[in-house]
Amino acid sequence: GLGGSAESMALERACGMLLAGQAPTLRDGGLRPAPRDSSCSKYVSHSRYITRVLSAEEAAFPLAYIITMHKEFETFERLFRAVYMPQNVYCIHVDGKAPAALKQAVRRLVDCFPNAFLASRTERVVYGGVSRLRADLHCMRDLLASAVPWHYLLNACGQDFPLKTNWEIIQHLKAYRGKNITPGVLPPAHVTMRTRFMHLEQGGSNVSELVTPQVHKAPPPHNLTLYFGSAYIAVTRPFAEFVLQDPRAIDLLAWSEDTYSPDEHFWVTLNRIPGRLWGPG
C-alpha cells in the first residue's frame, strides 16, 4: 500500500495526468531497475517483494507460472513483482528475437530469486504461429521438472497484470476441485479456416509473419473433435503430464504446427477428450 502523503500525492498527480491523456512519470515510489550495481537483497527490499509465505493455506497450495514476453522490461517487472510468492515457481520465456539488453535484464532479475528461471529452450515467436505454443510447452516441461510441488499452472504474457491476490487466486482454483480451466467452444464458422488450411511460419531477421497458402489439411489425429478458446489457462499437474506424454497430445501438436494460432485450440481440445485420465471434470 501507499506509505505516506507524498506517495498519495504522487499517485493522485499520475492519475490526473492519465485522465488528461498525458503519460505520467512516477518518481521515487516505483520499482528500482533490475539489479545492476546494487545487490539482489537491496533490489528485493527496495521494490518490496513478498519474501515470506503469508499463510499456511498458501504454503500448502503452490502455483506455477509461465510468463512469455518480448518487450517492455518494466511492464514485465511489475507483473512479476505482483504475482511473486516465495512458495510458487516461475518460468520466464523471452522471445528469441528480443534485444540482448532485454534478455540480460530479465536474467539479472530472475537470478535474484531461487524459484524463478528462464526457459531452458527459446523460440523465435511468430504471432499466431506454433512457436507461441511451443514457448509455453518448453516452460511447462521445465516446471514439471521443478522440485516445487505446484498444484496448478497458469500462463501469462509480459503485458498482463493480476486483478487478484495470490490467496484469492487459490480460492478460485480450489473451487474447481482439480478440474482444468480452459474456456472454449465448438469452432464458430469464422475460425474454421484456421485449421482447415495450412498456415506456415516464415521468419525473417526483423519481421516474422504467417503465410497462408490455400492448401487443405487432413482431419485432426485420433478423430479428435476440435474446440476453440482461450490461449490462457490454469491447468493441473496431471494435465500437464498428459500434454507432454500422451500420444494424442503429441500427435495433435505435430498436426497443429501448420495451423493458425494453435494455442487457441490445443489446450481446450485436449481438455475435452472423452474419458480423459488426468483428473475429474
Side-chain angles (χ1 to χ4, degrees):
L2 296 176
S5 59
E7 289 185 353
S8 299
M9 291 173 63
L11 184 57
E12 185 177 348
R13 284 196 301 272
C15 290
M17 293 179 71
L18 282 172
L19 291 172
Q22 302 171 5
T25 55
L26 291 175
R27 300 176 184 175
D28 300 328
L31 294 172
R32 176 175 292 174
R36 293 178 176 86
D37 299 326
S38 63
S39 68
C40 281
S41 60
K42 289 182 180 178
Y43 167 70
V44 171
S45 174
H46 178 276
S47 297
R48 300 179 182 176
Y49 278 85
I50 295 172
T51 56
R52 60 181 180 85
V53 182
L54 299 183
S55 68
E57 185 174 12
E58 289 172 272
F61 204 92
L63 302 176
Y65 277 88
I66 297 171
I67 302 176
T68 53
M69 61 170 300
H70 67 288
K71 63 178 182 178
E72 298 176 3
F73 173 79
E74 291 79 9
T75 305
F76 157 74
E77 185 181 24
R78 282 167 172 78
L79 164 63
F80 181 77
R81 179 188 175 278
V83 298
Y84 181 78
M85 288 286 167
Q87 74 274 12
N88 296 341
V89 61
Y90 303 85
C91 178
I92 316 301
H93 180 280
V94 184
D95 193 329
K97 304 188 304 300
L102 175 62
K103 298 176 184 177
Q104 185 178 9
V106 175
R107 181 177 293 278
R108 276 197 302 264
L109 186 150
V110 301
D111 282 350
C112 286
F113 301 91
N115 55 335
F117 55 85
L118 295 178
S120 61
R121 294 183 59 184
T122 301
E123 295 285 330
R124 294 175 61 87
V125 177
V126 177
Y127 179 82
V130 71
S131 51
R132 172 64 187 84
L133 174 58
R134 287 193 181 278
D136 273 348
L137 290 169
H138 295 331
C139 267
M140 181 176 280
R141 185 174 289 106
D142 292 342
L143 289 165
L144 280 172
S146 164
V148 176
W150 52 267
H151 290 245
Y152 270 88
L153 179 151
L154 298 83
N155 63 343
C157 74
Q159 279 71 56
D160 285 337
F161 197 80
L163 299 179
K164 303 290 186 181
T165 66
N166 187 77
W167 185 87
E168 289 171 329
I169 290 171
I170 287 174
Q171 303 313 306
H172 184 76
L173 293 173
K174 282 186 173 181
Y176 278 81
R177 300 182 181 277
K179 296 180 183 179
N180 300 303
I181 306 175
T182 61
V185 295
L186 287 169
H190 68 278
V191 301
T192 55
M193 289 186 63
R194 293 182 174 194
T195 55
R196 186 174 296 171
F197 297 98
M198 293 175 62
H199 297 67
L200 302 174
E201 285 192 11
Q202 178 175 292
S205 57
N206 297 315
V207 178
S208 295
E209 61 184 4
L210 282 167
V211 179
T212 312
Q214 296 298 304
V215 179
H216 279 271
K217 281 182 60 60
H222 304 282
N223 200 30
L224 291 173
T225 299
L226 286 187
Y227 290 81
F228 285 78
S230 176
Y232 295 95
I233 57 175
V235 297
T236 62
R237 178 182 290 270
F239 180 76
E241 293 170 344
F242 171 87
V243 164
L244 294 173
Q245 298 171 9
D246 191 276
R248 291 167 292 182
I250 294 169
D251 292 346
L252 179 62
L253 175 62
W255 181 87
S256 300
E257 287 185 353
D258 56 6
T259 62
Y260 182 81
S261 202
D263 51 351
E264 295 182 1
H265 73 247
F266 183 74
W267 313 113
V268 62
T269 293
L270 292 177
N271 193 38
R272 283 158 178 76
I273 294 176
R276 50 192 178 276
L277 304 176
W278 54 85

